[in-house]
Amino acid sequence: MSAGPDRLHAIVPAGGAGTRLWPLSRRARPKFLLDLTGSGRSLLQGTVDRLAPVSDSITVVTGRVHASAVADQLGTDARIVPEPGPKDSMAAIGLAAAIIARDHGSDAVVGSFAADHLIGDRPAFERAVATAVAAARRDDVTLVTIGLTPTHPATGFGYIAVGAPLDPGEGTTSDRPAGPAAGVDDPPEAPPAARPVAHRADGFQEKPDAETATAYLAGGRHLWNAGMFVARAGALLDALRTEHPDLHDGLQAIATAWGSAEEGAILAATWPHLTAIAIDHALAEPLAARGRVAVVPADLRWTDIGDADSLATVLESGADAGPDAIPDAGAGTHAGAGGPEDGPAGAGVVAEPHTVVVGDGSPGAFVHAPGRVVALHGVPGVVVVDTGDALLVTTREMAQGVGRVVTQLRDAGLGDLT
Amino acid sequence: MSAGPDRLHAIVPAGGAGTRLWPLSRRARPKFLLDLTGSGRSLLQGTVDRLAPVSDSITVVTGRVHASAVADQLGTDARIVPEPGPKDSMAAIGLAAAIIARDHGSDAVVGSFAADHLIGDRPAFERAVATAVAAARRDDVTLVTIGLTPTHPATGFGYIAVGAPLDPGEGTTSDRPAGPAAGVDDPPEAPPAARPVAHRADGFQEKPDAETATAYLAGGRHLWNAGMFVARAGALLDALRTEHPDLHDGLQAIATAWGSAEEGAILAATWPHLTAIAIDHALAEPLAARGRVAVVPADLRWTDIGDADSLATVLESGADAGPDAIPDAGAGTHAGAGGPEDGPAGAGVVAEPHTVVVGDGSPGAFVHAPGRVVALHGVPGVVVVDTGDALLVTTREMAQGVGRVVTQLRDAGLGDLT
């Protein structure tokens, strides 16, 4: 990887089990390690694949318990920073940023991206990153976030209020032709897509209620916060020193010792005492209040595959979902396709390809039960996930509440299954 | 068994796979061979247990393919008559009646009872049989049926129209004290329950539409036809000779040779040509039209366990369902009961005792998945049946249509699973 003006040093915090996707996801087999879409690549691998063209380096911060699995999946594609224990996103991103600043200088631009999201429109993502990197180099900006055009009044995401466009000047790119990273996959006859324009972020809102979310969508001034933050490493660490000096100092101490003989001792002495806080609260909100945050609006065909409904929607969208959403589009992702034994699948049933589904009256159903014969009768929108050791039956409408099942299993002494 | 005035020779036609109970029931493992209620006795064994106190002999007529399984379950409790192939109920009952007439004389009273029904109130059943046997001995009656008090406007059963009470006289029992078979299980302080009064049957109606069924229930003059027919063997065979002489003659020829060296040859030459017809159409309807049928109204807490909804209702009713419905009543039949690993079962979930069910928001759900951990979330009334080789998901409301799934499986080349 060679440094370039539009490129960054990517940070991928890989944590969180994804309990709403139980029983597919487990503590020991978190969402980011899974190949949920049957692409042959896990969500983490897809994230690294997507970041490679825009990155000078990729650093994955993950729990020690997952470090070897992550290394198995990524090989030499990324540096792995194992955390002794979960300390939320600020510690993970801050440690990686401090290591990057040590190795590449404080002017290196870093960007954090979740390990378990899907992005259907990669060229649009690359254009958004280029705009974000340029904005992060401006003197009047400390932190840049990429905000996603909302497609429905979601109550499960935070929102970003969009302000005025940044003044043209260094770092604004709206009047420049698309760079080489943009439009790579566009048909030759189409004009190159323009990079998006960075705006001032007026603020961050926590997950809203349904009424507020509907108003956000109608107003057109709010974007989803998907945790994509871009900044110069030095600016990010300076801001952290201001907001959370203890956390800053601890992370700097660890970063200084990283890779040396003292690493273990410093980690053991420091990590347990670090403040556990999300970067949204630690930096984004206070910096936005001081007018130091920019937001890059982007329409990326993004999803976090938060639950089985979301996964089913991705699988349903098939060929339209983009390169890292559905590599094997079409009939192959649908019920019963793939062999002479296939039964008359219910119309609109989405199933894992190695599942045979018969029955009818169950449009919109989602079945993941590899190697099994599953009969659905009159259960539209049902979700059936069979992992051998556990069987979940819910509906797509209710799937977002499956995390409660995980809690119940643990309360019932069945935590081994979670 | 010793002959008695209230006793009969019981005939149990054991056929039909019960496709609506798939995947619990299969062609090779039909409903009557299953212990659906966890009583330790199959439905067939329960039927024989229930008939023993009122019978001088019990003859089970079943397909050749099931004869050894039936023999394994019943031992010496019943004579088994294997049919070379299915010829509907008239041939099965007629052959057994002809064999009984040959062995016990034409005045022997026979009664046919399905192999796969449940009866919750055994004393009431015994009183109804006593009345039916007495009615069958009357000169003005050829055929007696026991009609069940309907509890809801079912469209899945035929109905019997009830006429005037039979004239008192030989065979009417309303003015007699209860016999020894009645009130056996009643508390000592309760007065002995009276035997029911036989009425003339004005006719038989096929399965009605919902409007007609509602009118039947409101009118109070219609009873469910559960296929319980009682008659003197000679009278039944005489009527068959009148209505279907070829069928009568074929069955008589077979019965004469039954157990002799000629049995096989006669069966092979005769059975394939017999008319396949139900006793309802062959005898009950034409005899009712001539005023020769009596009906004994009875409230037996009866069910045919037609589908998973019906099975769930039986299991829910627990202790109230009577001796051959739920032997192990109460918590043991409910989700998660039985061990320290049990999770917080959803309120009102009925599950096979060896299934652990967690989750919530699923009242009225029915789960049969022995040895599995099943999580339900927000699926009230769902039906989940896992037999290892197949997994069915439907709802209690839709369960009566599961026979269509069986058809689809066969059409899809998956008939081995049916």
Side-chain angles (χ1 to χ4, degrees), chain A residues 84-250:
Chain A
K87 283 292 182 181
D88 217 327
S89 59
M90 189 67 253
I93 295 166
L95 175 58
I99 295 173
I100 291 164
R102 182 195 71 175
D103 295 349
H104 299 280
S106 61
D107 279 340
V109 174
V110 298
S112 77
F113 302 91
D116 53 5
H117 294 175
L118 285 184
I119 288 177
D121 189 343
R122 255 188 219 194
F125 173 71
E126 294 173 359
R127 292 191 297 271
V129 167
T131 293
V133 170
R137 297 194 192 283
R138 290 171 61 117
D139 291 338
D140 59 350
V141 168
T142 301
L143 188 67
V144 187
T145 183
I146 296 173
L148 302 166
T149 312
T151 56
H152 63 277
T155 57
F157 307 134
Y159 284 73
I160 306 160
V162 181
L166 295 190
D167 289 334
E170 184 185 75
T172 59
T173 58
S174 61
D175 50 352
R176 299 197 321 190
V184 166
D185 289 347
D186 292 337
E189 66 274 18
R195 289 184 182 171
V197 175
H199 289 62
R200 195 61 62 185
D202 282 350
F204 289 80
Q205 274 84 31
E206 297 268 2
K207 298 173 183 177
D209 59 24
E211 190 181 354
T212 306
T214 302
Y216 284 170
L217 204 69
R221 283 193 60 246
H222 287 82
L223 303 171
W224 285 340
N225 174 9
M228 302 185 199
F229 293 105
V230 176
R232 279 176 291 122
L236 184 144
L237 293 166
D238 287 347
L240 183 60
R241 183 191 293 121
T242 302
E243 301 294 335
H244 293 277
D246 290 350
L247 181 53
H248 169 272
D249 294 351

Side-chain angles (χ1 to χ4, degrees), chain B residues 205-304:
Chain B
Q205 274 83 30
E206 297 270 1
K207 298 172 183 178
D209 59 25
E211 189 182 355
T212 306
T214 302
Y216 285 171
L217 204 69
R221 283 193 60 245
H222 287 82
L223 303 171
W224 285 340
N225 174 11
M228 302 185 198
F229 293 103
V230 176
R232 279 176 289 120
L236 184 145
L237 293 166
D238 287 348
L240 182 61
R241 184 192 292 120
T242 303
E243 300 294 336
H244 293 278
D246 289 350
L247 181 54
H248 169 272
D249 293 351
L251 294 174
Q252 284 287 21
I254 295 167
T256 302
W258 196 261
S260 76
E262 289 76 41
E263 177 189 314
I266 295 277
L267 259 182
T270 309
W271 192 265
H273 308 293
L274 296 181
T275 303
I277 186 170
I279 188 173
D280 306 71
H281 303 314
L283 290 187
E285 291 167 8
L287 288 172
R290 293 202 290 278
R292 297 287 309 172
V293 178
V295 56
V296 180
D299 184 0
L300 306 180
R301 294 209 310 274
W302 168 93
T303 174
D304 71 342

Side-chain angles (χ1 to χ4, degrees), chain B residues 3 36 401:
Chain B
L36 289 175

